[in-house]
mmCIF file of all heavy atoms in Angstrom:
data_model
loop_
_atom_site.group_PDB
_atom_site.id
_atom_site.type_symbol
_atom_site.label_atom_id
_atom_site.label_comp_id
_atom_site.label_asym_id
_atom_site.label_seq_id
_atom_site.Cartn_x
_atom_site.Cartn_y
_atom_site.Cartn_z
ATOM 1 N N GLU A 973 43.829 38.831 20.932
ATOM 2 C CA GLU A 973 42.867 38.974 19.877
ATOM 3 C C GLU A 973 43.649 39.108 18.559
ATOM 4 O O GLU A 973 44.431 38.192 18.201
ATOM 5 C CB GLU A 973 41.917 40.094 20.167
ATOM 6 C CG GLU A 973 41.024 39.971 21.378
ATOM 7 C CD GLU A 973 40.054 40.995 21.647
ATOM 8 O OE1 GLU A 973 40.159 42.042 20.960
ATOM 9 O OE2 GLU A 973 39.200 40.821 22.513
ATOM 10 N N ILE A 1011 65.467 8.910 36.943
ATOM 11 C CA ILE A 1011 66.602 9.315 37.745
ATOM 12 C C ILE A 1011 66.587 10.800 37.684
ATOM 13 O O ILE A 1011 65.876 11.483 36.898
ATOM 14 C CB ILE A 1011 67.963 8.748 37.227
ATOM 15 C CG1 ILE A 1011 68.188 9.360 35.843
ATOM 16 C CG2 ILE A 1011 67.897 7.212 37.229
ATOM 17 C CD1 ILE A 1011 69.662 9.096 35.344
ATOM 18 N N GLU A 1036 73.595 5.753 24.298
ATOM 19 C CA GLU A 1036 74.419 5.373 23.188
ATOM 20 C C GLU A 1036 73.789 4.337 22.248
ATOM 21 O O GLU A 1036 74.028 4.373 21.111
ATOM 22 C CB GLU A 1036 75.730 4.883 23.755
ATOM 23 C CG GLU A 1036 76.578 5.961 24.403
ATOM 24 C CD GLU A 1036 78.006 5.466 24.788
ATOM 25 O OE1 GLU A 1036 78.105 4.320 25.120
ATOM 26 O OE2 GLU A 1036 78.890 6.398 24.822
ATOM 27 N N THR A 1065 74.221 -0.653 27.619
ATOM 28 C CA THR A 1065 74.509 0.596 26.990
ATOM 29 C C THR A 1065 74.878 1.622 27.992
ATOM 30 O O THR A 1065 74.987 1.288 29.203
ATOM 31 C CB THR A 1065 73.298 1.080 26.046
ATOM 32 O OG1 THR A 1065 73.698 2.218 25.351
ATOM 33 C CG2 THR A 1065 72.141 1.346 27.023
ATOM 34 N N ARG A 1085 72.259 -1.891 32.206
ATOM 35 C CA ARG A 1085 72.089 -3.205 31.749
ATOM 36 C C ARG A 1085 70.563 -3.564 31.667
ATOM 37 O O ARG A 1085 69.851 -3.391 32.714
ATOM 38 C CB ARG A 1085 72.813 -4.219 32.685
ATOM 39 C CG ARG A 1085 72.661 -5.655 32.268
ATOM 40 C CD ARG A 1085 73.515 -6.626 33.169
ATOM 41 N NE ARG A 1085 74.896 -6.267 33.019
ATOM 42 C CZ ARG A 1085 75.700 -6.750 32.214
ATOM 43 N NH1 ARG A 1085 75.267 -7.554 31.265
ATOM 44 N NH2 ARG A 1085 77.002 -6.413 32.213
ATOM 45 N N THR A 1166 54.321 -25.709 69.816
ATOM 46 C CA THR A 1166 55.266 -24.841 69.127
ATOM 47 C C THR A 1166 56.507 -25.671 68.930
ATOM 48 O O THR A 1166 57.051 -26.370 69.836
ATOM 49 C CB THR A 1166 55.654 -23.635 70.034
ATOM 50 O OG1 THR A 1166 54.454 -22.837 70.209
ATOM 51 C CG2 THR A 1166 56.780 -22.803 69.308
ATOM 52 N N ARG A 1203 54.685 -15.728 66.461
ATOM 53 C CA ARG A 1203 55.456 -14.714 65.755
ATOM 54 C C ARG A 1203 57.000 -14.980 66.067
ATOM 55 O O ARG A 1203 57.312 -15.267 67.209
ATOM 56 C CB ARG A 1203 55.085 -13.304 66.137
ATOM 57 C CG ARG A 1203 53.654 -12.913 65.753
ATOM 58 C CD ARG A 1203 53.511 -12.888 64.245
ATOM 59 N NE ARG A 1203 52.153 -12.494 63.764
ATOM 60 C CZ ARG A 1203 51.301 -13.313 63.315
ATOM 61 N NH1 ARG A 1203 51.611 -14.609 63.189
ATOM 62 N NH2 ARG A 1203 50.105 -12.836 62.868
ATOM 63 N N ALA A 1306 56.785 -4.857 61.184
ATOM 64 C CA ALA A 1306 58.105 -4.296 61.522
ATOM 65 C C ALA A 1306 59.212 -4.892 60.617
ATOM 66 O O ALA A 1306 59.274 -5.982 60.364
ATOM 67 C CB ALA A 1306 58.483 -4.485 62.982
ATOM 68 N N LEU A 1339 62.264 8.856 61.856
ATOM 69 C CA LEU A 1339 61.058 9.348 62.432
ATOM 70 C C LEU A 1339 61.037 8.730 63.913
ATOM 71 O O LEU A 1339 60.906 7.494 63.980
ATOM 72 C CB LEU A 1339 59.845 9.070 61.660
ATOM 73 C CG LEU A 1339 59.772 9.674 60.327
ATOM 74 C CD1 LEU A 1339 58.421 9.210 59.698
ATOM 75 C CD2 LEU A 1339 59.733 11.283 60.378
ATOM 76 N N VAL A 1383 60.047 -4.162 40.914
ATOM 77 C CA VAL A 1383 59.545 -3.232 40.019
ATOM 78 C C VAL A 1383 60.212 -3.216 38.730
ATOM 79 O O VAL A 1383 60.000 -2.234 37.871
ATOM 80 C CB VAL A 1383 59.503 -1.801 40.682
ATOM 81 C CG1 VAL A 1383 58.558 -1.781 41.883
ATOM 82 C CG2 VAL A 1383 60.976 -1.419 41.103
ATOM 83 N N ALA A 1394 54.569 -0.026 41.721
ATOM 84 C CA ALA A 1394 53.839 -1.265 41.464
ATOM 85 C C ALA A 1394 54.718 -2.464 41.188
ATOM 86 O O ALA A 1394 55.708 -2.273 40.305
ATOM 87 C CB ALA A 1394 52.926 -1.025 40.335
#
Side-chain angles (χ1 to χ4, degrees):
E973 295 181 350
I1011 66 172
E1036 289 186 332
T1065 186
R1085 180 178 298 276
T1166 301
R1203 294 291 182 258
L1339 295 176
V1383 296

